[in-house]
Amino acid sequence: MTAVAEQTRTLTYAEAVREALAQAMTADERVFLLGEDVGTYGGAFGVTGDLVHRFGEERIRDTPISELGIVGAAVGAALAGMRPVVEIQFSDFTAQAMDQIVNQAAKIHFMLGGAATVPMVLRAPAGSGTGAAAQHSQSLEAWFAHVPGLKVVMPATPADAKALLLAAIADPNPVIVLEHKLLYKQSGPVPEAATPARLGEAAVRRRGTDLTIVATGVMVPRSLEAADELAADGIEASVVDPRSLKPLDGKSIVDDVTRTGRALLVQEAPKTAGFMAEIAATIGESPAFGHLRAPISRLCGLDVPIPYAPQLERAAVPQVADIVRAATDLVRRW
């Protein structure tokens, strides 16, 4: 950890998540964590770290291996006035808990006419790149974004990992926080203050004039690296990070595409029925459509289970070179 500015330090993404949890637990004794190996072991990716020594086993609760039971307990605790934060070791394992997530957490507030709230946060590592193969490497954000009653965020920087998690914990109803595994060791400036982000507010990470790249999760830093390479070749790209998939800040995306006239949408998840189809529809149904100089283009993961072999795993999802090629083709052809 090094000092960067008066009230900002350099933290890793994982440290930023841990700091958000610690600050939320210090500020509100109703906040507690539960999940597999979140206590003494410190989490499957070391995110919860030493929190059990700082807050005790009553508030950092190791659970049995039962995702359905973990989320069900969190829903019940939330209904009783607590503010549980669930960690699922891999987002793939939420498949075991979908009844509690989709049919209970997401629905209760509405089915009871607003008489009850479910202030539950579910954090889960997502994405490929660690050689963990098909059952531990999926990108399932479109599943959750499709369910009314759930909010979904995908922080791409350490600062957002902290600010969006604080916002999720403060929200009165369930929020799914999808953290890409490859970002946990990435460093960046993080404010010391416990200031939550605003859900539904995108970030324009870079402004260009030739095309707009919309990217989520680990595709944000890859798109920024690609934009640097494109600039060296005379192509100036904007990079827009939605940060919050639901609610979605469609206006920031539409405004930037209106200005550049081209849209390249980049996600790690498979193309078919992926979240970038929603972004494409948002653009196509907006006044930006009349400003397009090229068809909206999507660059996505292949429609295959993530392979175990490292070279095949890389080939299954967009890399920096793929983004550069797709952006160059979009600008040169149109």
Side-chain angles (χ1 to χ4, degrees):
M1 187 186 310
T2 58
V4 171
E6 187 177 354
Q7 295 180 326
T8 302
R9 302 85 6 96
T10 296
L11 299 181
T12 67
Y13 188 104
E15 289 171 337
V17 172
R18 190 181 312 132
E19 182 169 87
L21 293 170
Q23 290 180 336
M25 294 181 71
T26 300
D28 187 344
E29 64 181 13
R30 297 174 301 170
V31 179
F32 72 101
L33 315 184
L34 68 166
E36 299 159 12
D37 292 327
V38 298
T40 302
Y41 188 71
F45 290 89
V47 173
T48 49
D50 65 347
L51 291 180
V52 69
H53 302 299
R54 296 161 62 184
F55 294 96
E57 294 181 350
E58 282 292 311
R59 299 184 70 189
I60 309 293
R61 288 180 170 258
D62 273 326
T63 67
I65 303 175
S66 173
E67 287 76 13
L68 183 67
I70 296 167
V71 179
V75 171
L79 287 169
M82 302 296 285
R83 289 189 170 268
V85 180
V86 171
E87 177 178 304
I88 299 295
Q89 288 190 334
F90 292 83
S91 63
D92 315 69
F93 302 166
T94 58
Q96 295 282 355
M98 287 302 267
D99 181 62
Q100 285 296 331
I101 297 170
V102 174
N103 287 327
Q104 305 302 330
K107 302 292 193 297
I108 287 173
H109 176 70
F110 301 93
M111 294 184 71
L112 295 183
T117 58
V118 186
M120 180 195 82
V121 175
L122 188 154
R123 297 180 36 248
S128 66
T130 61
Q135 296 168 322
H136 300 71
S137 303
Q138 296 174 86
S139 300
L140 302 175
E141 62 270 17
W143 282 13
F144 300 113
H146 188 67
V147 178
L150 294 180
K151 300 182 180 73
V152 184
V153 300
M154 291 181 70
T157 68
D160 273 358
K162 177 178 177 179
L164 288 169
L165 179 54
L166 288 169
I169 293 171
D171 198 272
N173 273 301
V175 181
I176 308 296
V177 182
L178 298 172
E179 303 163 351
H180 200 287
K181 306 175 190 78
L182 295 184
L183 295 175
Y184 279 138
K185 294 182 180 179
Q186 300 300 308
S187 298
V190 179
E192 290 182 6
T195 306
R198 292 178 59 185
L199 299 181
E201 188 172 88
V204 180
R205 303 289 183 191
R206 176 191 176 111
R207 285 204 183 274
T209 54
D210 296 315
L211 80 158
T212 300
I213 300 174
V214 182
T216 51
V218 76
M219 293 300 150
V220 174
R222 288 182 189 174
S223 295
L224 288 168
E225 185 177 344
D228 287 341
E229 294 189 23
L230 290 164
D233 199 31
I235 297 174
E236 293 294 338
S238 282
V239 177
V240 180
D241 171 9
R243 305 166 76 222
S244 167
L245 275 55
K246 194 176 181 181
L248 176 69
D249 179 6
K251 182 177 185 305
S252 292
I253 296 168
V254 165
D255 286 350
D256 207 80
V257 173
T258 298
R259 195 172 52 77
T260 65
R262 300 182 181 91
L264 175 63
L265 314 180
V266 186
Q267 67 179 25
E268 175 170 334
K271 187 173 190 177
T272 302
F275 189 76
M276 285 302 163
E278 182 65 27
I279 300 287
T282 298
I283 297 168
E285 293 171 352
S286 78
F289 180 78
H291 297 267
L292 289 175
R293 292 185 281 171
I296 300 167
S297 180
R298 285 180 290 163
L299 177 64
C300 307
L302 302 180
D303 282 317
V304 297
I306 296 295
Y308 178 70
Q311 67 274 29
L312 296 180
E313 183 183 34
R314 279 183 58 83
V317 301
Q319 305 297 324
V320 172
D322 301 315
I323 301 171
V324 170
R325 275 195 296 272
T328 301
D329 181 65
L330 190 63
V331 173
R332 300 292 188 226
R333 286 179 58 196
W334 302 89

